[in-house]
Amino acid sequence: MFVRTIEPAFYDTDALGHVNNTRLPAWFELARNDLFRLFTPDLDPRKWRLIMARMEVDYRAELQYGSEIEIHTYVSRLGNSSFTVSQEARQNDRLTNLGHTVMVHFDHQAKCAIPIEGELREALQAHLQEEPADA
C-alpha cells in the first residue's frame, strides 16, 4: 500500500465550508503516481503504458479544511491486462471517501490491451490487498 498525505488548501473548500467534492478525483490521481511509476518510472507521457477504463468515488463523509488527509492506494484486483486501484481518503483516522479506478495495461501504438506479466505483475501483486472491513 502507498500512503500520501494531503494538506488541503483554503481554495479546496467550497461555499458550504468543507473540501469540495471535485478535489477527491484529483488527489486520487496524484496518489496513483506511485503505482504509475511501476509502469513508467519517470512518468514520461511518451512512454505511457496505461489507460483508465473506469473511475468511481463514494463520498461517505465531509472532509474539512485544517486537517491533513491521508490517501491510501493499493491494488484490489489484478486481472490479465487490467487491474483495479482502490483508494481511501482518511481524515482524523476516519474513512471519508473510497475510490476505485480500473486501469488497463495498454499499447498506445497498437491500440490494444497487453498482458501484465513478469516483474511488473510481481510488483503489482506486492500491493494487492482486500478492502478493509470499514470500507
Side-chain angles (χ1 to χ4, degrees), residues 45-109:
R46 294 169 299 198
K47 302 174 197 168
W48 209 252
R49 302 185 310 167
L50 292 168
I51 59 170
M52 179 188 295
R54 178 180 174 85
M55 181 182 72
E56 59 187 36
V57 178
D58 294 335
Y59 297 90
R60 301 192 175 185
E62 295 175 345
L63 291 168
Q64 303 297 325
Y65 173 75
S67 293
E68 291 181 338
I69 299 163
E70 279 192 351
I71 308 292
H72 297 202
T73 302
Y74 52 92
V75 176
S76 59
R77 184 193 61 80
L78 182 55
N80 181 47
S81 60
S82 67
F83 60 101
T84 301
V85 180
S86 290
Q87 295 178 283
E88 304 166 18
R90 293 182 173 270
Q91 191 173 49
N92 301 318
D93 296 321
R94 180 177 171 212
L95 178 65
T96 58
N97 307 86
L98 181 63
H100 300 287
T101 306
V102 176
M103 303 297 300
V104 179
H105 192 210
F106 197 76
D107 181 327
H108 287 276
Q109 290 185 340

